[in-house]
Amino acid sequence: MAGNATEPVIEVNEATVRFGKLTAVDRLSLRVDHGEVFGLLGPNGSGKTTLIRALCGLIPLAGGSARVLGHDASREAEAIRSTIGYMSQKFSLYEDLTARENMDFYAGIYGLNVSEARVRQSELVERLGLGPYLDRWSGRLSGGWKQRLALACALLHRPRLVFLDEPTAGIDPVARRDLWDLLFQLAAEDVTLFVTTHYMDEAERCGRVGYISLGHLLAVGTPEELKHWPGVTPSGTRRLEISGGDIAALLGRLRDHPAVRQATIFGQAIHALVDNEVTPESLGLGAAQVRQAEPSLEDVFVTLSRAQQQAPNGGGS
Amino acid sequence: MIRKGLSIKRLVSVTRKEVIHILRDPATLFFAVVIPVLELLMLGYAIDTNVRHVRTIVFDEARTQESRALLRRFENAEDFSIVGEVFTDRDLGEALVSGRARVGIKVPENYSRRLQAGQTGQVLILVDGSESSVAAEAVNVSNAIALSESLDRLVAGRALPVEARPRVLFNPDTRSPNFFIPGLLVVLCQMMAMMLTANAIVREKEKGTLEQLFMTPVRASELMVGKMLPYLGFTVLEFCGIALLMNTIFGVPIRGNFLTLLAIALPFFLAMLGVGLWISTRAQTRDASLQMAMGTVIPSIFLSGYVFPLDSMPTFFRYLAQAVPTTWMIDASRGVILRGAGWAELWPNAAVLSGMAVLALVSSTAMFRKRVS
Ligand SMILES: Nc1ncnc2c1ncn2[C@@H]1O[C@H](COP(=O)(O)OP(=O)(O)OP(=O)(O)O)[C@@H](O)[C@H]1O
Ligand SMILES: [Mg+2]
């Protein structure tokens, strides 16, 4: 039996996935340990979904290796598939089946026997609050409930690792928070979670975060580690948060200023990376308030992407 | 790596889900149940190719006892039905051009005079050739009528020296429904089996549900068999239903054992379902799969001997037809229903169809497996 507490749950070594000429995942290495909540971020088309598919043995690796729960992804895909849960990016349960029928179907597919299935289903229904929706066609549920149902189906067989591909895309903030609360409960029960997302606040909640762009994993670490990565705030520079006044006009002025390396709007404020010598007065900010700021995760990812674009070979760590 | 056989639990789950899909999709149900019955009724009535009651117009210029006797013969023949009488050549021509009648009979004014003078009495039969089978039949029957009228006059009451008495076996009334419906039965079931299964996997591809399934331990073979079972059930029901209609509404008797026919049909259905699934794994969209299914069904129908008799095909096509399952099934269907054939005559059909079924199922499953991983 594979998967004792010390062995990594996911171990990827120099894995490469190609679609014809396109390299969707490029020599990617990664390790996720038991009980972690691992977040994978990256722009559209960066290879997040492809990586997950490759880890489940759905797409063959063109190079390198991947082990999931102690099984080789290319040779032992079936063993992997019976011990993982998967929630795809797009709702992919049967819309013309009721919530209950969908759960019954997946219980059968995972080989649960009838009494086992009944116990597990009522447990999940209670936990996810699905009770009132059991007899509705799943296609007619709202986004948040669809996601919960999909999660329930993915958890029926008590998987030890769950892949969630953008589980909160397109659902409202309250439903989003509820779903994350559920994910943390799962993590507390020793289930390892591999989550992709485009939301920074979700990334902040993950134990560790990886940032992938153009198939390259550019950085991995806890959110704190990433923020203090020296590349984000190079020596001789500092980060300022500028608020108040006409934000749009200020942004234009900052971007034209030679000593400003980056300037981005965050809600009601501008985050700017400026040379140390520059004083707020010399930037001509007028009445705007200026204070020293910590880099956010978004700053980190913006910096990483820019660095990748400027690198001569278009990528690589 | 562990490779157990099929898991019955997974198989049953897939089948049950598929049945729910079918029952909840009114369009599919309509397509599966109502359309074949409508087609049967439409085609069953329409494809009566025996020529009967051809609209006929007469122009009796002679107006004598002899001319009336001749016309009565035409009237009594089932093939013609006299729809009117005209009194000029112009009107006769017009009736044919306008399509009011397909056949025009003109008995000329001198008909009786010539007969009495021992000369040949000529009758003009105008036939609309735009429908070839009607025209050919009308020409034959009119010749026969003229001949028997002549004979009657010549032999005048004595016995005929020779008389041929053809007896058509198996389909004594040479009714064309008897010939066509056993074939139609096969063709309708084939269409349904293929159209439904051609959808079965593409639908999941289009909706994205297949990706979720691929992330579970379900096997390609379990998906295939699980999806096939409900469609097999549907097709068998359809087959029995159409056979019942054939027997009751169209009065086609089933001379052999229907269970024998059903047993031979089973591998045929499996082969069709296999081809449907094969299409379904290849196609990326439902439209594409439907087109591929149609593109397979139509040539197989034309080759199968359902429309054109095999014996009248060029040699190459006759051999090609042997590779089409429909050919073997239609032959078996006509054999059991019309000729009362049994296992002794039809075992080769059953054997060939079984081989074809195995081939179709194995290759479609192999095809599917390649695409899973
Ligand atoms: N089956 C496929 N065939 C060919 N190219 C593919 C296939 N699947 C993905 N790609 C390509 O691989 C790249 C990575 O795609 P992927 O779906 O993994 O991105 P992603 O990070 O999940 O993006 P998103 O945030 O939009 O979901 C893209 O350029 C995509 O076009
Ligand atoms: Mg994706």
Side-chain angles (χ1 to χ4, degrees), chain A residues 1 9 18 20 39 53 87 94 109 126-127 132 141 187 190 218 265-266 292 302:
Chain A
M1 186 69 210
V9 171
R18 290 205 183 88
R53 288 181 181 159
M87 213 172 125
Y94 299 96
I109 289 294
E126 184 172 344
R127 205 155 150 186
L141 294 175
D190 262 1
L218 297 181
I265 294 189
F266 276 79
Q292 188 90 14
V302 168

Side-chain angles (χ1 to χ4, degrees), chain A residues 43-50 52-53 89 165-166 196 198:
Chain A
N44 293 127
S46 54
K48 302 182 294 293
T49 302
T50 305
I52 294 180
R53 288 181 181 159
Q89 185 167 354
D165 197 356
E166 296 185 31
T196 76
H198 287 296

Side-chain angles (χ1 to χ4, degrees), chain A residues 53 56 58 75 78 81-82 86 88 90 92-94 96-97 101 105-106 108-112 137, chain B residues 1 3 9-10 13-14 17 20-21 24 204 207-209 211-217 219 372-373:
Chain A
R53 288 181 181 159
C56 302
L58 213 60
R75 277 173 318 190
E78 275 194 52
R81 287 178 204 154
S82 45
Y86 172 72
S88 75
K90 180 175 162 279
S92 52
L93 297 180
Y94 299 96
D96 54 342
L97 262 57
E101 285 162 347
F105 172 66
Y106 276 101
I109 289 294
Y110 283 116
L112 269 58
W137 283 23
Chain B
M1 160 166 194
R3 273 230 163 256
K9 207 174 285 163
R10 289 197 289 248
S13 295
V14 174
K17 168 190 87 76
I20 299 179
H21 283 319
R24 297 232 168 116
E204 298 221 21
K207 300 219 160 172
T209 50
E211 184 189 333
Q212 184 77 45
L213 266 186
F214 280 175
M215 293 293 192
T216 71
R219 295 225 170 82
V372 177
S373 319

Side-chain angles (χ1 to χ4, degrees), chain A residues 215-265:
Chain A
H216 293 272
L217 190 64
L218 297 181
V220 188
T222 65
E224 280 313 301
E225 281 167 4
L226 290 182
K227 286 181 205 165
H228 293 109
W229 179 60
V232 178
T233 318
S235 57
T237 62
R238 60 191 170 126
R239 290 194 172 265
L240 299 178
E241 187 184 288
I242 301 151
S243 55
D246 181 352
I247 297 272
L250 279 178
L251 183 70
R253 207 173 311 149
L254 285 169
R255 285 195 167 157
D256 289 339
H257 198 285
V260 176
R261 305 209 180 171
Q262 271 177 26
T264 332
I265 294 189

